[in-house]
């Protein structure tokens, strides 16, 4: 999904100041039990996109605001600590409206001319602001860059335009006069990855479709899972030949979970599952529930609240844009549906676009910005670093708990308190003598919680009513990077 072009309006947006917490903790402790021996999926991380020129809103911010917004998104001690950036690979010959321009504005007449080193590529060194965003993200330690094309350039498609659906010429069911463009499209994607590499960014994951079950007036390309498999069988060896063996192919960014399940099944039937890193889904047309049958990892790569008006609330009776609602959404995907990554739609957007709805985490308008609690819901997951393995967590009434063992040995525990009153949480994790915790509610954003360590090793801290708390357990010399 994508918003329409907008113009800027200026407004005052002070950051909510927060006072040091002094949570009253009097009730009996709720025991949450962690079992490090029960292991589930490996986490790739949490992220957002700056696609459709939204990254330019950050590019155009002046000091010190630009640094403040980057810290909010990427800083692992003061912000959300996001670890994945999803970039859109442009397919439009120009940058009209908010479209993303392609590196191949003019196609040659035959597909064979489009090699990885074709002289007709037009790399502008900006990529709609996304290169800048990626370079800044990398400075914060981000290592996962998911580049995803909404469409192939129009000349490679059955409808000869990058918009309004159409299919890639050469996949099953197509018959284009201009020929088979599968190899050309793969070469073009390799060229894009190489331009990023030359600019210091290693694209780690590559997608060639976005919502291929949806045809619309902006960049879009139709595909079934079977047709996607036709292309994956060309793309994988093309990446390998270009020494891009470590770049994972993601597919297919379906509009919803049930279509993603069909894609997974069709890709497996076509014998291409082993060439896929992650089956990717959005949550627009069907929400995430249950698990997808696949040996690949599963990522949620784009979702947001498209209906609600701009809201910075943590809890407003379960509003679709509430931070608390989003905390539950991310939690559900990771704990109940085996997701290895959860990626929000836009990190930033202006006021005018889509009547200032909630499809962004931070409202950036000219030189002012305002932060939603959705960002702080994601920040509660920042203790979970890429490569962490989810382990078992249970116990406590009105509590949802998830635990993860980070690669540095530290243990992250993320807990949502669904109760309408504050609770005290007690976690006994033998062998981890250091415990820190942070909490978020209506008036706090990852505020430091007072943690008490009992002589039996139980770490206790209070979580506010309808609040969220994240613990990080470490040993001396371990887990100090978060
Ligand atoms: C994150 O924020 C802290 C506190 O302001 C700062 O010291 C640190 O340099 C920031 N991290 C990065 C990578 O910029
Ligand atoms: C791939 O790496 C090999 C070995 O380093 C090198 O000989 C070859 O030229 C590389 N190929 C490309 C396309 O970069
Ligand atoms: C969870 O995902 C992993 C891959 O990340 C897969 O191996 C495993 O079978 C999945 N488990 C379930 C229950 O779907
Ligand atoms: C850090 O954690 C790892 C894994 O649990 C452990 O093997 C290592 O000894 C720890 N290092 C220190 C300095 O505590």
């Amino acid at each position: 999904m994508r918003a329409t072009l907008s113009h800027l309006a200026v407004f005052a947006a002070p950051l909510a100041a927060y006072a040091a917490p002094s949570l009253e903790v009097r009730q009996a402790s709720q025991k949450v039990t962690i079992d490090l021996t029960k292991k589930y999926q490996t986490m790739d991380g949490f992220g957002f996109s700056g696609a459709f020129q939204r990254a330019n809103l950050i590019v155009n911010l002046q000091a010190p605001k630009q640094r403040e917004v980057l810290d909010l998104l990427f800083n692992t001690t003061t912000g959300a600590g996001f670890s994945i950036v999803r970039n859109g690979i442009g397919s439009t010959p120009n940058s009209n409206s908010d479209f993303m321009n392609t590196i191949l504005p003019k196609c040659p007449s035959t597909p064979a001319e489009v090699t990885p080193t074709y002289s007709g590529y037009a790399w502008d060194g900006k990529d709609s602001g996304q290169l800048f965003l990626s370079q800044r993200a990398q400075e914060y330690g981000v290592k996962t860059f998911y580049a995803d094309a909404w469409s192939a350039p129009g000349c490679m498609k059955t409808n000869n335009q990058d918009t309004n659906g159409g299919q890639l010429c050469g996949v099953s069911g197509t018959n284009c006069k201009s020929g088979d463009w599968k190899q050309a499209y793969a070469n073009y994607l390799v060229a894009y990855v190489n331009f990023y590499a030359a600019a210091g960014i290693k694209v780690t994951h590559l997608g060639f479709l976005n919502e291929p079950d949806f045809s619309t007036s902006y960049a879009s390309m139709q595909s079934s899972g079977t047709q996607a498999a036709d292309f994956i069988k060309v793309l994988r060896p093309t990446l390998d030949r270009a020494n891009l063996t470590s770049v994972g192919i993601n597919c297919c960014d379906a509009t919803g979970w049930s279509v993603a399940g069909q894609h997974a099944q069709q890709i497996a039937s076509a014998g291409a599952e082993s060439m896929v890193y992650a089956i990717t889904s959005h949550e627009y047309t069907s929400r995430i529930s249950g698990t997808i049958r696949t040996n690949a990892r599963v990522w949620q790569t784009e979702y947001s609240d498209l209906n609600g008006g701009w809201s910075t609330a943590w809890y407003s009776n379960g509003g679709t844009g509430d931070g608390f609602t989003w905390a539950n959404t991310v939690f559900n995907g990771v704990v109940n549906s085996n997701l290895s990554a959860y990626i929000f739609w836009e990190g930033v957007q202006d006021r005018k676009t889509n009547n200032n709805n909630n499809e962004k985490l931070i409202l950036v308008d000219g030189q002012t910005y305002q932060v939603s609690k959705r960002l702080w819901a994601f920040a509660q997951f920042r203790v979970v670093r890429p490569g962490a393995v989810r382990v078992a967590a249970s116990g406590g009434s009105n509590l949802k708990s998830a635990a993860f063992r980070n690669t540095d040995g530290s243990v992250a525990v993320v807990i949502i308190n669904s109760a309408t009153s504050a609770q005290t949480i007690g976690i006994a994790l033998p062998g981890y003598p250091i415990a820190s915790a942070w909490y978020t509610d209506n008036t706090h954003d990852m505020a430091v919680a007072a943690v008490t360590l009992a002589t039996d090793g139980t770490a206790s801290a209070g979580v506010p009513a309808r609040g969220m708390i994240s613990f990080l357990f470490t040993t001396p010399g371990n887990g100090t990077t978060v």
Side-chain angles (χ1 to χ4, degrees):
M1 308 288 154
R2 182 194 64 83
T4 51
L5 178 71
S6 73
H7 300 284
L8 308 179
V10 178
F11 64 100
L15 257 182
Y18 51 77
S22 65
L23 195 68
E24 293 285 318
V25 172
R26 297 193 194 285
Q27 63 288 76
S29 169
Q30 298 274 356
K31 196 175 163 195
V32 170
T33 305
I34 313 300
D35 183 353
L36 295 174
T37 67
K38 247 193 195 157
K39 294 175 183 164
Y40 303 105
Q41 80 271 30
T42 299
M43 299 303 299
D44 288 306
F46 302 88
F48 68 91
S49 184
F52 287 94
Q53 300 187 31
R54 305 299 189 268
N56 279 331
L57 293 170
I58 301 176
V59 173
N60 294 334
L61 274 175
Q62 289 159 13
K65 297 260 167 65
Q66 184 183 74
R67 179 55 52 193
E68 289 165 14
V69 166
L70 289 168
D71 271 331
L72 281 160
L73 294 166
F74 298 117
N75 196 304
T76 55
T77 54
T78 62
F82 280 117
S83 50
I84 301 178
V85 173
R86 174 177 181 243
N87 288 330
I89 302 174
S91 53
T92 310
N94 53 57
S95 295
N96 292 349
S97 186
D98 59 357
F99 293 172
M100 296 177 284
N101 62 303
T102 173
I103 59 168
L104 189 63
K106 277 190 205 128
C107 256
S109 50
T110 61
E113 292 172 70
V114 185
T115 62
T117 54
Y118 175 58
S119 60
Y121 293 125
W123 173 246
D124 64 5
K126 295 186 174 73
D127 201 28
S128 302
Q130 297 174 116
L131 180 62
F132 174 90
L133 179 65
S134 302
Q135 289 170 331
R136 298 294 81 74
Q138 184 162 265
E139 288 163 5
Y140 284 90
V142 173
K143 293 186 176 70
T144 304
F145 295 94
Y146 174 31
D148 187 26
W150 264 240
S151 172
C155 57
M156 302 186 182
K157 295 169 66 187
T158 53
N159 63 344
N160 210 35
Q161 51 184 355
D162 76 308
T163 53
N164 297 299
Q167 297 170 325
L168 178 65
C169 289
V171 300
S172 50
T174 64
N175 181 14
C176 300
K177 273 200 198 109
S178 59
D180 179 344
W181 289 80
K182 292 199 299 297
Q183 185 61 60
Y185 187 34
N187 290 346
Y188 157 90
L189 293 172
V190 162
Y192 176 93
V193 171
N194 285 340
F195 282 123
Y196 262 73
I201 301 295
K202 194 169 173 280
V203 170
T204 53
H205 298 81
L206 185 61
F208 56 95
L209 294 169
N210 174 73
E211 303 186 348
D213 53 316
F214 178 62
S215 171
T216 183
S217 61
Y218 51 84
S220 49
M221 182 162 81
Q222 305 265 280
S223 177
S224 66
T226 308
Q227 291 170 316
D230 293 340
F231 181 66
I232 290 166
K233 289 173 187 175
V234 174
L235 181 58
R236 183 68 267 166
T238 303
L239 286 167
D240 294 346
R241 278 197 304 275
N243 289 340
L244 298 171
T245 51
S246 64
V247 176
I249 298 175
N250 286 355
C251 200
C252 314
D253 281 68
T255 59
W257 192 243
S258 59
V259 179
Q262 290 164 23
H263 289 154
Q265 187 266 318
Q266 290 165 346
I267 288 169
S269 296
E273 188 185 61
S274 65
M275 298 177 201
V276 172
Y277 180 89
I279 294 292
T280 52
S281 181
H282 300 175
E283 280 202 71
Y284 296 110
T285 54
S286 65
R287 299 298 303 276
I288 288 179
S289 74
T291 53
I292 285 179
R293 276 173 74 111
T294 177
N295 293 316
R297 291 190 186 185
V298 182
W299 288 13
Q300 195 295 125
T301 47
E302 184 192 317
Y303 188 43
S304 67
D305 169 26
L306 296 174
N307 303 312
W310 172 247
S311 163
T312 58
W314 172 255
Y315 184 82
S316 63
N317 298 310
T320 50
D322 283 3
F324 188 74
T325 299
W326 276 88
N328 280 279
T329 294
V330 176
F331 184 98
N332 173 58
V334 170
V335 174
N336 300 322
S337 296
N338 203 27
L339 295 184
S340 289
Y342 200 105
I343 304 176
F344 192 81
W345 178 210
E346 298 285 14
V348 301
Q349 192 161 282
D350 59 21
R351 178 177 284 268
K352 189 80 180 291
T353 301
N354 286 348
N355 296 317
N356 198 20
N357 68 357
N358 283 326
E359 65 189 321
K360 65 262 188 197
L361 298 169
I362 303 176
L363 167 59
V364 174
D365 227 32
Q367 295 300 319
T368 63
Y369 68 89
Q370 201 172 20
V371 187
S372 75
K373 287 284 193 173
R374 294 181 291 285
L375 178 118
W376 294 108
F378 277 96
Q380 289 285 156
F381 286 92
R382 80 177 181 211
V383 290
V384 183
R385 303 312 304 164
V389 174
R390 190 169 72 83
V391 295
S394 60
S397 73
N398 289 313
L399 296 180
K400 293 183 182 179
S401 45
F404 307 82
R405 184 173 195 145
N406 285 313
T407 55
D408 67 359
S410 61
V411 176
V413 183
V414 178
I415 299 173
I416 296 173
N417 176 22
S418 308
T420 53
S421 58
Q423 305 211 70
T424 304
I425 292 163
I427 305 173
L429 209 53
Y432 287 87
I434 308 169
S436 309
W438 301 263
Y439 68 96
T440 295
D441 68 355
N442 277 328
T443 51
H444 300 93
D445 305 322
M446 282 294 277
V448 175
V451 181
T452 318
L453 267 173
T455 46
D456 70 350
T458 300
S460 300
V463 57
R466 287 199 183 101
M468 193 172 181
I469 189 165
S470 300
F471 289 83
L472 187 68
F473 291 88
T474 61
T475 55
N478 249 343
T480 50
T481 53
V482 180

